[in-house]
Amino acid sequence: MASMLMCFLIFFGATLAAGFSDTQPKPVPGLSYTFYKSTCPELEWIIRTYLKKEFKKDIGLAAGLLRLHFHDCFVQGCDASVLLDGSASGPSEQDAPPNLTLRPAAFKAINDLRALIDKMCGVVVSCADVVAVAARDSVALTGGPHYKVPLGRRDGLTFATVNVTLADLPPPTSNVSFLINTLNKINLTVADLVTLSGGHTIGLAHCTSFTNRLYPTQDTNMDKTFAKNLKLTCPAANTTNSTVNDIRTPNTFDNKYYVNLVNKEGLFTSDQGLFSDFRTKALVALFASNKILFFEHFALSMVKMGQISVLTGSQGEIRTNCSARNSGSGLWSVVEDLLEQLLEFPCRPQSCTHWIPIHQVKSSSSSNLEHALHLSRFG
């Protein structure tokens, strides 16, 4: 039986590896690997330099930024809506229970990066792109793969309701069938599920996320020694303590998460279930024995996830403050004020370089807004 399983794993691994190439995944329309080549060529250097410094002070920030990207993309796409504060229209995504444990330091880091990037390049980079690159660097700087990130996302104008956020973020008590169905709704596969779950190789977990496996009785799918040690940290079901996700290498991005699952040392029901379900077990075992293959898959799945329902082109906006929508209706409010001031003065035909009725400008795409600034010149 063991030899049959080994043969299957070798075949399965070869099949997966055959799907890889040295080329990057093709970006969705509107995104590009060179999007800021002319407008902000220093972007990735700015983000990496800042994070290197911050991780020396708090390595836990890496997991916080990676989780922030996940929670953003799973709810109405990768549009930085998770960064928006609540408003008179209602509570924000941050107020939904799954997001209450997002690290405040991660939000601060994005705002700090926003300020640094704006100082170097102007307001040309979206908050959604900052989150995506910061997540990639959080992986790479803790030992994981460095992969290219397609850029060009725009920031969303609205945040999801608490109920929508709850529906889109599967809880740690989820079984594999529920996880598969949830990810299928956003076009992620079973392989993506197993691969992206590997992000739990860094970071912390709150006791209340897994004490259902300890109390009132211990989950039989959990190693007894592992459970005994967890009870020292989490002496009651409602304790507010936390522990590391990965007991082997908690601050290193590697494949030890899968080794934990093979040894029944996964924390969440949603984690350990991956090694119990026939649809996911083989890939868990393969990643546990092959870090390089896991890294290759993780890079591809992260790029795929990072392009879920992205806003591009004239959609959304580029926020000047990542936690709040731009005042008025985005960039148009600034342009409209200027145009109305210009139109208060008579324009002599011989001194006007061009004329477009204001109602036509309002109906045009944002790509015409810069042109609209130069509608009239006065002699």
Side-chain angles (χ1 to χ4, degrees):
M1 184 70 175
S3 61
M4 290 179 62
L5 177 60
M6 182 60 67
C7 289
F8 173 75
L9 290 177
I10 292 173
F11 171 77
F12 191 50
T15 301
L16 289 171
F20 289 112
S21 68
D22 293 332
T23 59
Q24 293 290 320
K26 184 178 180 180
V28 299
L31 300 189
S32 166
Y33 288 110
T34 58
F35 191 84
Y36 297 111
K37 185 177 181 179
S38 61
T39 57
C40 192
E42 308 92 346
L43 173 62
E44 298 202 18
W45 176 84
I46 295 170
I47 293 176
R48 177 159 290 215
T49 300
Y50 171 86
L51 292 181
K52 281 183 177 179
K53 180 185 69 174
E54 293 301 311
F55 290 169
K56 288 179 181 178
K57 296 184 290 185
D58 177 15
I59 191 60
L61 175 60
L65 288 168
L66 180 59
R67 188 173 180 228
L68 190 65
H69 186 40
F70 272 75
H71 282 228
D72 180 36
C73 292
F74 271 53
V75 181
Q76 75 177 30
C78 309
D79 64 349
S81 58
V82 71
L83 303 179
L84 289 170
D85 291 334
S87 65
S89 63
S92 70
E93 294 174 26
Q94 296 176 34
D95 297 311
N99 289 335
L100 294 177
T101 53
L102 291 174
R103 288 173 62 99
F107 291 98
K108 180 181 181 301
I110 298 301
N111 287 331
D112 289 348
L113 286 168
R114 163 89 283 167
L116 289 171
I117 294 165
D118 290 355
K119 185 177 181 180
M120 291 284 289
C121 304
V123 186
V124 296
V125 180
S126 68
C127 299
D129 277 346
V130 175
V131 171
V133 176
R136 187 276 311 280
D137 284 350
S138 295
V139 171
L141 292 174
T142 53
H146 181 279
Y147 53 91
K148 293 183 179 180
V149 179
L151 299 172
R153 298 167 187 78
R154 303 272 290 180
D155 298 322
L157 301 177
T158 61
F159 49 75
T161 65
V162 169
N163 287 338
V164 169
T165 304
L166 277 169
D168 290 345
L169 292 172
T173 54
S174 303
N175 60 37
V176 173
S177 292
F178 185 85
L179 293 172
I180 290 174
N181 290 336
T182 300
L183 268 67
N184 182 60
K185 295 176 183 177
I186 50 176
N187 296 318
L188 295 178
T189 66
V190 174
D192 291 322
L193 165 62
V194 177
T195 304
L196 294 172
S197 294
H200 286 166
T201 190
I202 55 175
L204 299 174
H206 293 265
C207 290
T208 51
S209 298
F210 59 82
T211 47
N212 64 300
R213 302 185 65 209
L214 297 174
Y215 307 108
T217 58
Q218 183 192 317
D219 186 343
T220 57
N221 204 24
M222 179 182 284
D223 177 79
K224 291 182 179 180
T225 301
F226 180 60
K228 182 179 179 181
N229 291 333
L230 285 178
K231 288 179 179 179
L232 297 177
T233 303
C234 310
N238 60 350
T239 183
T240 58
N241 295 337
S242 61
T243 188
V244 294
N245 280 334
D246 177 356
I247 61 171
R248 287 176 165 78
T249 52
N251 296 320
T252 301
F253 195 98
D254 54 23
N255 66 330
K256 294 300 188 291
Y257 162 82
Y258 300 102
V259 175
N260 295 337
L261 300 189
V262 171
N263 288 280
K264 295 186 176 182
E265 294 169 339
L267 282 181
F268 307 142
T269 301
S270 57
D271 287 330
Q272 193 58 55
L274 297 176
F275 193 62
S276 303
D277 194 284
F278 73 95
R279 293 166 290 185
T280 52
K281 183 174 183 176
L283 191 52
V284 169
L286 188 61
F287 285 163
S289 63
N290 193 328
K291 183 176 76 171
I292 294 176
L293 187 63
F294 163 55
F295 279 6
E296 290 176 334
H297 264 276
F298 190 81
L300 294 176
S301 290
M302 283 294 288
V303 171
K304 183 178 179 180
M305 183 195 76
Q307 300 186 86
I308 295 173
S309 300
V310 292
L311 303 176
T312 61
S314 62
Q315 298 172 318
E317 64 185 5
I318 296 178
R319 291 186 214 135
T320 56
N321 175 358
C322 289
S323 63
R325 178 183 170 180
N326 294 343
S327 60
S329 300
L331 179 59
W332 168 250
S333 61
V334 178
V335 177
E336 184 178 40
D337 290 343
L338 178 57
L339 284 175
E340 289 180 349
Q341 291 177 34
L342 292 174
L343 294 174
E344 288 178 1
F345 299 93
C347 176
R348 298 192 303 273
Q350 63 271 26
S351 64
C352 291
T353 58
H354 193 49
W355 176 267
I356 301 176
I358 193 167
H359 73 275
Q360 290 184 20
V361 178
K362 285 186 176 182
S363 64
S364 65
S365 67
S366 63
S367 63
N368 291 325
L369 294 181
E370 183 178 352
H371 175 66
L373 287 171
H374 305 286
L375 291 180
S376 301
R377 293 198 180 114
F378 304 99

